Amino acid sequence: MSQYLKEVEGKSIHDERMRTRRKEGSVCWFPGPVIVGGGPSGLAAAACLKQKGIPSLILERAHCLASMWQLKTYDRLRLHLPKHFCQLPLMSFPSTFPSYPTKHQFLSYLKAYAQHFHINPCFGKAVVSAEFDHTIGHWRVKTETQEEYVCKWVIVATGENAEEVVPEVEGMDEFAGPILHTSSYKSGAMFSGKKVLVVGCGNSGMEVCLDLCEHNALPSLVVRDSVHILPQQMFGRSTFGVCMGLMKWLPISVVDKFLLVMSHIMLGDTARFGLERPKLGPLHLKNLSGKTPVLDVGTLAHIKSRKINVCRGIKRLTRHAVEFVDGKILNFDAIILATGYKSNVPFWLKGSDMGCEKDGFPRKAFPNGWKGENGVYAVGFTKRGLLGTSIDAIRIAQDIAHSWNKQSSLPLHPSPPTL
């Protein structure tokens, strides 16, 4: 694998199998799939291809593996699901890791994974366009640094969380304190003793509020919509694991009712504290909209004790205060936006009908969204976390292997197009 990567970077090697590669100026032909994105999804796809003897080339815009995890996550982050639901194909987490690995343990796993499969991404290669050239029957992948890679297959692995979502709120320019997205938040230590408004009540928003409490800040939480909050564990097992087991035997509607009953028993009526539940059950809602229920890691207890104040939606900001839609006006020192992320696929994947123009997610619902037309694939867009990523990666490698093996009997395998 390293030989393929070295020649792509302009170094000369004498591998007989690579004799068919052509380079004309900044144009480089690569015989295997080009993978866009060097996070968990890209690594999983590369490892599965490697197992089948297929070379791949990862183009990563940052200068490190899993840049989202390394650069844009807070210090206290842990995997929200047990490790056996989050491991990538072909390699388990170390047995010494806890059930819910920390951010740093997960990163060490990813680095060990890349080393084990000899995966060496090309860093600092931001892809600006990937478009299928019908004349030569190959994809042309162009980078910000004016390089062009020609290949038969493209694997989209830039993830569901490529770019921050920052809402426009009246008065943002007027507010005197810092306004930062959770991608820039590391720890509540810098907010000790300060009044902090966290906007967004998903898993990140809830956990940031907890972190702020533990660093003696005074957090408030904006809850604009209804939200399902579930206990992280039931009967000594992860709630997710319990759901997976029940869904093998019971319809989703029954499992949803079970979850709601158990949540009420274990957590109480969350509506009493300003956290209304959606009308649809948590699993049904997840399947329809992709909205993930919140797994409580201790935040709810602070909401019940009023250490975390629940607020309605924001109407406008002033220099030192926030006016809410219910008319309340409260002073704050800082605002943290836990407003999520979005895909950047629509900005660079051209001429393909695989992804929606609006959000970049595959048009076909899971489990059928991994394959598009003309050799384009998507890994990690299932809205099912790392478990969905593994399923995609395995299927993609199997599908590409069929074409790769069919061509293996040709004298020059695979042969480059006329560029």
Side-chain angles (χ1 to χ4, degrees):
M1 179 62 173
S2 59
Q3 287 181 323
Y4 285 88
L5 294 166
K6 286 177 181 176
E7 186 168 1
V8 166
E9 296 293 54
K11 296 179 181 179
S12 176
I13 61 172
H14 301 286
D15 188 330
E16 176 65 13
R17 196 175 177 187
M18 293 298 294
R19 67 186 184 277
T20 57
R21 174 175 295 185
R22 295 181 182 178
K23 294 176 67 175
E24 298 178 7
S26 62
V27 180
C28 175
W29 173 71
F30 188 77
V34 168
I35 301 171
V36 184
S41 295
L43 296 178
C48 290
L49 289 164
K50 183 90 172 183
Q51 185 199 37
K52 296 184 178 297
I54 303 171
S56 63
L57 174 68
I58 296 179
L59 302 179
E60 165 56 44
R61 65 179 177 178
H63 292 275
C64 61
L65 285 174
S67 60
M68 174 73 184
W69 279 88
Q70 292 211 49
L71 307 176
K72 296 187 176 184
T73 51
Y74 41 90
D75 294 341
R76 69 165 291 132
L77 181 63
R78 287 179 175 266
L79 295 180
H80 290 142
L81 301 180
K83 62 184 180 182
H84 59 278
F85 291 118
C86 300
Q87 62 195 24
L88 301 184
L90 309 173
M91 181 172 157
S92 301
F93 280 96
S95 59
T96 55
F97 278 19
S99 295
Y100 298 91
T102 66
K103 158 188 171 176
H104 300 292
Q105 287 172 328
F106 182 59
L107 284 169
S108 70
Y109 166 75
L110 292 181
K111 292 174 183 177
Y113 189 88
Q115 291 172 358
H116 179 76
F117 292 103
H118 305 288
I119 300 170
N120 300 294
C122 293
F123 295 120
K125 306 294 183 185
V127 171
V128 294
S129 74
E131 189 168 9
F132 187 73
D133 187 334
H134 291 272
T135 304
I136 61 173
H138 280 61
W139 287 85
R140 292 185 180 272
V141 182
K142 299 179 181 179
T143 69
E144 205 169 54
T145 48
Q146 307 301 313
E147 293 148 321
E148 181 176 329
Y149 300 87
V150 177
C151 56
K152 188 172 181 180
W153 304 278
V154 167
I155 300 175
V156 179
T158 46
E160 303 171 354
N161 303 317
E163 308 291 344
E164 296 89 344
V165 173
V166 178
E168 293 184 7
V169 181
E170 183 182 344
M172 286 184 78
D173 294 337
E174 184 181 349
F175 187 73
I179 301 177
L180 63 152
H181 192 272
T182 47
S183 60
S184 300
Y185 176 90
K186 297 302 177 186
S187 165
M190 66 179 291
F191 298 103
S192 179
K194 297 184 182 298
K195 295 179 180 179
V196 183
L197 182 64
V198 178
V199 182
C201 60
N203 280 297
S204 293
M206 288 286 197
E207 196 162 6
V208 165
C209 275
L210 178 61
D211 189 56
L212 288 166
C213 278
E214 293 178 351
H215 285 90
N216 299 313
L218 304 169
S220 294
L221 177 67
V222 171
V223 180
R224 295 171 294 174
D225 303 314
S226 55
V227 58
H228 278 302
I229 301 180
L230 307 177
Q232 190 178 40
Q233 296 204 151
M234 296 179 178
F235 313 114
R237 295 182 57 195
S238 74
T239 297
F240 184 78
V242 171
C243 288
M244 295 286 283
L246 291 176
M247 288 177 64
K248 293 178 180 179
W249 308 99
L250 300 172
I252 191 171
S253 59
V254 175
V255 180
D256 265 342
K257 288 178 181 177
F258 168 79
L259 286 175
L260 292 176
V261 169
M262 290 303 302
S263 296
H264 192 275
I265 292 171
M266 298 178 69
L267 303 177
D269 182 8
T270 59
R272 291 176 52 207
F273 307 99
L275 302 167
E276 299 280 351
R277 289 191 181 275
K279 292 182 180 179
L280 293 176
L283 298 181
H284 191 186
L285 184 64
K286 172 70 174 175
N287 284 344
L288 284 181
S289 68
K291 187 174 181 179
T292 303
V294 172
L295 296 175
D296 181 50
V297 292
T299 309
L300 190 58
H302 290 291
I303 292 175
K304 290 179 179 180
S305 67
R306 308 298 181 185
K307 289 183 179 179
I308 298 173
N309 180 39
V310 174
C311 305
R312 297 296 99 191
I314 297 173
K315 184 176 181 180
R316 66 171 65 91
L317 308 182
T318 60
R319 184 165 177 77
H320 295 291
V322 176
E323 181 181 350
F324 298 93
V325 293
D326 59 5
K328 290 182 179 179
I329 300 177
L330 300 173
N331 290 337
F332 290 99
D333 300 304
I335 298 174
I336 298 172
L337 302 174
T339 46
Y341 298 83
K342 62 182 179 181
S343 163
N344 65 5
V345 175
F347 296 102
W348 59 267
L349 185 61
K350 311 295 183 182
S352 172
D353 292 329
M354 182 179 69
C356 294
E357 293 179 1
K358 181 181 178 181
D359 59 14
F361 279 78
R363 296 179 189 274
K364 295 178 181 178
F366 179 82
N368 302 311
W370 56 276
K371 184 178 181 179
E373 75 288 356
N374 298 321
V376 64
Y377 299 87
V379 54
F381 291 85
T382 65
K383 297 183 179 179
R384 284 163 174 77
L386 294 165
L387 183 60
T389 289
S390 295
I391 294 171
D392 281 347
I394 293 168
R395 287 174 173 164
I396 290 169
Q398 289 173 341
D399 195 68
I400 292 176
H402 289 312
S403 299
W404 180 271
N405 293 333
K406 283 180 182 178
Q407 298 179 61
S408 62
S409 59
L410 297 177
L412 292 177
H413 163 62
S415 58
T418 302
L419 303 180

